[in-house]
């Protein structure tokens, strides 16, 4: 063998040995890796494989109901049906969908959505065609099932408000979870889950949600459900029992004009809200399955704000109902009952004339007659004697100018002006004219209907600082979990003397039941029933001097949006007060002519219902 051949053989042998060593090393590494995976990591991968085979799916719980104080369900869940298409179960999904469209209506937006999903989703994934089918539609689909391969009906639940718009502003509504409401709770990620968006539904949302159930299903590698292995139904949410009387609520809503108004009825001892009405209203059922964009735009663009709860969010000048506060502030400051003032029909200060509503004036008049006849000039004089800060302090004690803490979202605080406020915020001095305007509840003074009802309630209950609330009990089935509505005998007092309160209550009785009182025409004439109150007219615009010279004394002939608001506060019965009521009619004009008759009917209805419930005999009340 030649030397060159031997050299070539050695090189080949050496290379073969190296290659064999490399191959052996790779086989060793592979074997080691396999050993590691199959022995040391066996438990981990077995768990992963099992998790890939078993899926745990959340089941939405039934939402708790909302009941009125007598147990009537005013928000509940109803069974609903939706129709779905499973493309793999039909030869031609589009043909099946076309056949279904002959039985039920499907809008154009849904048609486009379904066409996209048929082409995008896996064939075994159901596609929702339409929610909230009527029973007739379900029956029609089931009857034609042999001709509709791949079509299935699925039962579910949706929120239902049997009273419609009657208590919408108190109850609120539920709707789909917005992106900003996601908290990491898996329940909120379910496509059919709904959360409270306003009112009681929002305030007590978590209490009514309940606990989610679970469904363990076996799936294959593609994610197709093979079978359900185990199912655990969740726990329904707790029921909320409200202080509302839904029959009274219907009555109040029926008495309010639809253009724009609010009314609040309180139990003066417990703070329970028996009725809270706001018009115009809306149907909360429209939100349960998702409101259409055009419907939403219609609601939010309506100038009469149907989505706003005007009872707690609307802020109005209290007008002459504020004279209750001025009278109490003056009495507590030491004013004698024999104090009188002369009303020629106006008061002049600094070259400006401030008018009384009665053009010819009231003459010489005392507190009782000034309250009964709502003399502006008398209260101008009273305001100048005690000053705005005393008025403001009494207003706050009676509930104006700060949040009352009602358990509903959206409460407004109202406003009561002071010298310090004007100096620090507006950088202006407080003028005597400001005091005059404030003393009759105009100018910067603002209050909500709830605050005005609270003012009447705290006067009628002897000066107790009750807090309004709409929730009475939380129940788990028939078990009371929490109760907050029993009258609180330990409630704090406002520090107003009984003597001052009695004087004002007697004057409020004169407003309604004394001939010459501004609400005498709206008194309760049925024997055995009574109310006392105070009228008010809340100016939207001031009548100019030129208009007065032209003989214009009110804004009633102006366009609706420029007319005064009609206001009235009341309590009843007179001898043993139990209820307080406030009514505001937007741009209604005179409180005596428009708001007082509504309050009269509400308080009469309440007292009649008491007689029926307790089979008691009403106590007759004299006019004086």
């Amino acid at each position: 063998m030649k030397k060159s051949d031997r050299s070539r053989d050695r090189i080949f042998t050496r290379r073969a040995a190296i290659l064999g060593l490399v191959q052996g090393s790779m086989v060793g590494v592979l074997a080691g890796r396999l050993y590691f995976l199959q022995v040391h990591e066996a438990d981990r991968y077995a768990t992963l494989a099992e998790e890939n085979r078993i899926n745990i799916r959340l089941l939405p719980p039934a939402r708790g109901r909302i009941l009125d104080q007598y147990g009537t369900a005013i928000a509940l869940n109803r069974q609903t049906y939706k129709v779905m298409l499973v493309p793999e179960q039909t030869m031609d999904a589009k043909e099946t969908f076309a056949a279904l469209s002959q039985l039920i209506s499907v809008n154009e937006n849904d048609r486009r959505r379904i066409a996209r999903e048929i082409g995008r989703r896996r064939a075994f994934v159901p596609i929702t065609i339409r929610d909230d089918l009527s029973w007739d539609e379900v029956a029609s689909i089931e009857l034609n099932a042999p001709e509709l391969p791949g079509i299935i009906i699925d039962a579910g639940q949706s929120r239902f408000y049997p009273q419609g718009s009657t208590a919408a502003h108190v109850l609120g509504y539920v709707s789909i979870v917005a992106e900003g409401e996601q908290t990491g709770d898996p329940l909120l990620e379910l496509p059919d889950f709904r959360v409270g968006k306003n009112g009681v539904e929002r305030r007590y949302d978590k209490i009514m949600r309940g606990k989610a159930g679970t469904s363990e299903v076996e799936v294959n590698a593609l994610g197709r459900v093979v079978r359900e292995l185990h199912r655990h139904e969740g726990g329904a949410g707790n029921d909320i029992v409200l202080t509302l009387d839904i029959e009274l609520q219907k009555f109040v809503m029926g008495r309010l004009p639809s253009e724009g108004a609010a009314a609040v009825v309180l139990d003066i001892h417990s703070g329970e809200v028996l009725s809270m009405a706001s018009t115009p209203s809306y149907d909360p059922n429209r939100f349960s399955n998702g409101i259409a964009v055009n419907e939403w735009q219609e609601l939010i663009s309506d100038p009469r704000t149907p989505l706003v709860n005007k009872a707690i969010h609307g802020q109005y000048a209290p007008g002459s109902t504020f004279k209750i506060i001025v009278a109490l502030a003056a009495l507590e400051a030491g004013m004698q009952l024999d104090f009188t003032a002369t009303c020629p029909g106006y008061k002049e200060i600094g070259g400006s004339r401030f008018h009384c509503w009665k053009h010819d004036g009231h003459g010489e008049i005392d507190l009782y007659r000034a309250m009964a006849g709502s003399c502006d000039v008398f209260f101008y004089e009273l305001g100048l004697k005690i000053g705005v800060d005393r008025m403001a302090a009494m207003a706050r004690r009676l509930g104006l100018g700060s949040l009352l803490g009602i358990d509903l979202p959206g409460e407004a605080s109202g406003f009561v002006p002071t010298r310090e406020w004007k100096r620090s915020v507006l950088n202006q001095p407080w003028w005597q004219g400001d005091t005059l305007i404030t003393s009759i509840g105009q100018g910067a003074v603002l209050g909500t209907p709830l605050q005005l009802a609270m003012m009447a309630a705290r006067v009628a209950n002897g000066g107790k600082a009750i807090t309004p609330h709409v929730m009475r009990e939380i129940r788990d089935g028939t078990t009371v979990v929490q109760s907050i509505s029993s009258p609180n005998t330990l409630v704090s007092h406002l520090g107003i003397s009984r003597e001052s309160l009695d004087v004002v209550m007697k004057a409020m009785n004169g407003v309604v039941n004394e001939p010459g009182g501004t609400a005498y025409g709206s008194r309760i004439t049925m024997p055995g029933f009574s109310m006392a109150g105070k009228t008010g007219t809340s100016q939207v615009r001031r009548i100019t001097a030129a208009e007065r010279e032209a003989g214009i004394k009110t804004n009633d002939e102006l366009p609706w949006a420029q007319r005064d608001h009609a206001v009235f506060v009341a309590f009843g019965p007179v001898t043993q007060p139990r209820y307080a009521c406030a009514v505001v009619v937007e741009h209604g004009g005179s409180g005596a002519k428009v708001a007082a008759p509504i309050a009269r009917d509400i308080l009469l209805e309440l007292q009649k219902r008491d007689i029926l419930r307790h089979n008691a005999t009403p106590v007759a009340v004299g006019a004086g």
Side-chain angles (χ1 to χ4, degrees), residues 501-517:
L501 291 168
D502 287 343
V503 169
V504 171
M505 290 174 67
K506 183 179 179 181
M508 291 175 70
N509 183 45
V511 170
V512 178
N513 298 306
E514 181 80 15

Side-chain angles (χ1 to χ4, degrees), residues 26-103:
M26 292 178 65
V27 170
V29 170
L30 180 60
R33 180 61 178 167
L34 289 173
Y35 176 82
F36 176 78
L37 294 175
Q38 295 183 31
V39 177
H40 289 281
E41 295 286 287
D43 292 341
R44 174 171 175 263
Y45 284 100
T47 301
L48 291 175
E50 182 68 16
E51 289 179 351
N52 189 51
R53 185 178 71 88
I54 306 298
N55 277 356
I56 299 179
R57 299 182 177 180
L58 287 179
L59 301 175
R63 190 172 178 84
R65 300 175 301 163
I66 303 177
L67 313 173
D68 85 338
Q69 62 171 280
Y70 297 108
T72 302
I74 50 181
L76 45 84
N77 306 306
R78 65 171 179 174
Q79 190 170 41
T80 58
Y81 300 92
K82 62 182 176 182
V83 58
M84 298 186 295
L85 170 65
V86 183
E88 73 168 5
Q89 294 179 6
T90 178
M91 296 293 293
D92 189 332
K94 293 183 179 180
E95 183 178 330
T96 300
F97 174 64
L100 177 67
S101 299
Q102 301 299 315
L103 303 176

Side-chain angles (χ1 to χ4, degrees), residues 150-171:
I151 295 296
I152 58 174
I153 298 291
D154 185 42
Q157 287 190 336
S158 71
R159 201 62 160 171
F160 179 59
Y161 304 92
Q163 308 298 335
S165 62
T166 301
H169 292 101
V170 177
L171 298 178

